[in-house]
Amino acid sequence: MHHTPLIATIVAGLVVAFIFGAIAHRLRVPPIAGYLLAGVMVGPFTPGFVADAGLAAELAEIGVILLMFGVGLHFSLRDLLSVWTIAVPGAIVQIAAATVMGAALGHLLGWPLFGGIVFGLALSVASTVVLLRALQSRDLVDTERGRIAVGWLIVEDLVMVLALVLLPAIATALDSGGSGGGIGAVATSLGITLLKVGGFVALMLVVGPRIIPALLHWVAHTGSRELFRLAVLAIALGVAFGAALIFGVSLALGAFFAGMILGETPLSRRAAEETLPLRDAFAVLFFVSVGMLFNPSVVVEQPLALLATVAIIVIGKSLAAFAIVRLFRHPTGTALTIAVSLAQIGEFSFILAALGGELGVLPQDGRDLILAGALISIFLNSFLFSAVAALKARGHVAEGTAAAEAEAAKDGLILVGYGRVGRFVAQSLAERGIRPRLIEAEDDRARRGEGDGLEAIVGNAVEERVLAAAGIASARRLVIAIPEGFEAGAIAEHARALNPSVEIIARAHSEAQAAHLAARGVAHVISGEREIARRMSDLAT
Ligand code: AMP
């Protein structure tokens, strides 16, 4: 067979990631751990097949583009501006804190000051992929804390764009002994970069909304699914790449703006669906590419330095983020989620590390520490997220238990989810004088439920503890008003384990979900399409 490194890398990446992901699933550890390990297996530091790390990293960039595009679809300019006041100071304080800690560690290790600063900067930026995957898998992107985390990420992204341009200029200035010419060059690069970023944002906000939605509408009207799918990919990838090429902004930022502009149109939901499968596949390749860069010998050769690096990423950065979010008077739960979201590093850190190496300021040790720190912090991240969720559920359940159980005998009705559907369910029930007990995963939504006179328990209804606290044992009916049919299936299963006679009503978005729910003993499966069809056929006869 002829030489096909690209195909070999994609195939090896996906196949090995699948195998390790499946094993991780069986062992009940986060799949990301499996993907990272898959990367180590196909990487250059373990025997056997070696995939092309450069190609893997490039493929991972496609994942970054599609992820940011998807997030942009959910975001409006208003959302972005509403979190700006906390995201800008938050990101800047956190970057400063991490940079100081990194530089201090570098100093202890005997590196030059500038090298330590580059090292600290690399530890300060969180990975887009890790953060978005964590938020998406927990349905947090559309919540206030999700928006703050994404806004924060965008500020970090902008700072990195500046850093990548300024570092070479500063390195040259330092080489020339800090002469006036060197400083002038730094100021010029800064000015040009700011102009370019400003130009890009202005272009996207002024011209983008006139062209991009119109183009997509036109394609939608051709009726060709294939063309629509192509149009979405062409817009996401084209704008990202064009932005990077012409304006020097990051691919992620370009994709985010492309998504944000499309998000204002009614076609955004369809656009999001079209990119989902590709997005997930390429995001997996991101984790594989991180694993490939990991050189296990660092663990043996510099255990203490590595421990300190991981501590800066996971503890130091989190404390800084937590403190600033609390300072802005957001609730502890929000502060915890944001701190944990950002307690990892990834793609930008690798780019900075590589640049630091090229400029001859960051020693090889520093680069190895960054790569190993990334792998370990990403690995720890999913566990940290689960720990925070558990902590929250426990805290709130403890508050809710006594009251909820006292109420338990009242109506015997529990409602899960206070979103688009749950709210209407509660409203109709209230008109009939029935007040269900509410289980809602999101603080702010649960609070809204309480404002509407419901007793709310904050927590994930998949957990038996949460169901028990809501009084499932004595409930007659359980209404699961969450959009994810398979997750609803898991809730139904646990609910029936605790109370076999409870009558369950749930939502489904596909026939597969409906069958899944029915198989788990859900008495009434309500699907949007069927209800619409029923009403339409009623009207047609
Ligand atoms: P919507 O997508 O607008 O119908 O809203 C669904 C609501 O259900 C959201 O407010 C979610 O926070 C909430 N939700 C989703 N999954 C769970 C779960 N497993 N336990 C409790 N609440 C959930």
Side-chain angles (χ1 to χ4, degrees):
M1 200 170 115
H2 55 283
H3 187 55
T4 50
L6 179 61
I7 298 180
T9 303
I10 296 179
V11 173
L14 292 179
V15 170
V16 183
F18 164 67
I19 294 171
F20 280 83
I23 295 174
H25 184 80
R26 283 299 306 223
L27 299 178
R28 291 174 180 277
V29 294
I32 288 172
Y35 307 150
L36 290 170
L37 196 62
V40 177
M41 299 307 283
V42 297
F45 301 105
T46 47
F49 171 79
V50 175
D52 186 323
L55 285 178
E58 267 189 56
L59 291 168
E61 282 286 341
I62 299 185
V64 175
I65 294 176
L66 296 179
L67 269 164
M68 277 307 261
F69 177 71
V71 170
L73 285 173
H74 285 278
F75 249 73
S76 67
L77 194 59
R78 201 161 2 103
D79 292 333
L80 199 58
L81 294 177
S82 74
V83 297
W84 218 231
T85 42
I86 173 150
V88 173
I92 290 176
V93 168
Q94 200 192 23
I95 289 176
T99 307
V100 169
M101 289 186 271
L105 178 59
H107 181 71
L108 287 179
L109 295 173
W111 304 340
L113 177 65
F114 191 45
I117 291 178
V118 174
F119 180 69
L121 264 180
L123 300 188
S124 72
V125 269
S127 156
T128 312
V129 182
V130 179
L131 182 131
L132 295 182
R133 288 260 318 206
L135 294 180
Q136 277 164 352
S137 65
R138 289 164 185 83
D139 253 344
L140 291 175
V141 179
D142 277 335
T143 62
E144 195 201 7
R145 62 185 105 145
R147 280 192 285 271
I148 296 177
V150 172
W152 196 300
L153 189 77
I154 288 169
V155 179
E156 284 192 355
D157 195 321
L158 282 170
V159 172
M160 278 312 116
V161 169
L162 288 180
L164 289 178
V165 179
L166 292 185
L167 286 181
I170 296 176
T172 322
L174 285 179
D175 268 351
S176 63
S179 66
I183 293 167
V186 174
T188 315
S189 315
L190 180 66
I192 293 177
T193 312
L194 287 178
L195 269 181
K196 278 181 169 175
V197 172
F200 169 70
V201 173
L203 183 75
M204 286 312 274
L205 294 184
V206 178
V207 183
R210 282 166 227 273
I211 298 178
I212 297 179
L215 179 72
L216 206 62
H217 274 284
W218 177 79
V219 178
H221 281 119
T222 63
S224 162
R225 285 191 140 219
E226 186 176 280
L227 263 189
F228 185 80
R229 208 165 281 162
L230 271 179
V232 173
L233 282 177
I235 291 171
L237 297 173
V239 172
F241 195 71
L245 202 67
I246 302 169
F247 295 96
V249 301
S250 67
L251 291 169
L253 208 62
F256 175 80
F257 272 94
M260 199 168 83
I261 286 164
L262 275 186
E264 307 285 335
T265 75
L267 289 167
S268 65
R269 196 187 155 94
R270 239 185 100 191
E273 280 165 12
E274 297 296 354
T275 52
L276 268 182
L278 265 185
R279 184 189 83 187
D280 290 347
F282 281 103
V284 166
L285 286 181
F286 166 78
F287 295 105
V288 175
S289 75
V290 173
M292 287 179 68
L293 298 170
F294 177 66
N295 182 353
S297 64
V298 196
V299 181
V300 186
E301 283 162 19
Q302 327 183 49
L304 285 182
L306 180 58
L307 207 63
T309 306
V310 173
I312 294 176
I313 303 169
V314 177
I315 302 171
K317 270 175 40 162
S318 305
L319 287 179
F322 184 84
I324 187 124
V325 178
R326 286 296 289 143
L327 207 67
F328 275 78
R329 305 196 175 286
H330 284 276
T332 311
T334 304
L336 270 179
T337 306
I338 292 169
V340 170
S341 318
L342 299 158
Q344 36 83 11
I345 59 170
E347 60 274 18
F348 272 119
S349 317
F350 305 152
I351 298 174
L352 272 176
L355 181 68
E358 274 165 37
L359 296 173
V361 291
L362 185 66
Q364 181 63 41
D365 282 355
R367 276 171 275 165
D368 288 341
L369 286 175
I370 290 171
L371 297 177
L375 182 110
I376 296 173
S377 65
I378 293 175
F379 181 80
L380 291 177
N381 198 250
S382 29
F383 292 97
L384 280 180
F385 249 105
S386 311
V388 165
L391 202 72
K392 268 195 212 162
R394 203 170 303 150
H396 287 284
V397 170
E399 286 163 25
T401 312
E405 278 172 2
E407 287 278 300
K410 214 171 163 190
D411 301 312
L413 181 63
I414 300 175
L415 171 66
V416 178
Y418 206 58
R420 288 161 300 186
V421 173
R423 221 168 292 162
F424 286 126
V425 173
Q427 226 171 49
S428 316
L429 289 172
E431 284 163 14
R432 284 172 240 168
I434 303 170
R435 296 209 179 278
R437 256 157 289 123
L438 176 66
I439 301 179
E440 168 56 63
E442 279 305 313
D443 281 334
D444 38 353
R445 296 200 168 177
R447 238 173 280 138
R448 192 174 320 170
E450 282 171 347
D452 296 341
L454 298 183
E455 179 164 355
I457 288 155
V458 185
N460 185 345
V462 173
E463 292 172 34
E464 293 193 351
R465 221 178 16 204
V466 175
L467 283 167
I472 188 76
S474 58
R476 272 201 310 138
R477 293 204 179 89
L478 171 68
V479 177
I480 310 178
I482 67 171
E484 227 312 309
F486 294 106
E487 194 175 328
I491 298 175
E493 218 164 8
H494 291 295
R496 286 179 63 87
L498 295 170
N499 177 356
S501 66
V502 67
E503 187 179 334
I504 305 175
I505 302 151
R507 283 162 76 179
H509 278 282
S510 65
E511 291 300 312
Q513 289 183 357
H516 178 86
L517 287 167
R520 268 148 199 80
V522 174
H524 308 283
V525 180
I526 314 295
S527 91
E529 284 76 9
R530 285 201 205 168
E531 289 305 307
I532 294 169
R534 177 158 35 208
R535 181 89 182 103
M536 286 177 123
S537 54
D538 279 352
L539 289 171
T541 50

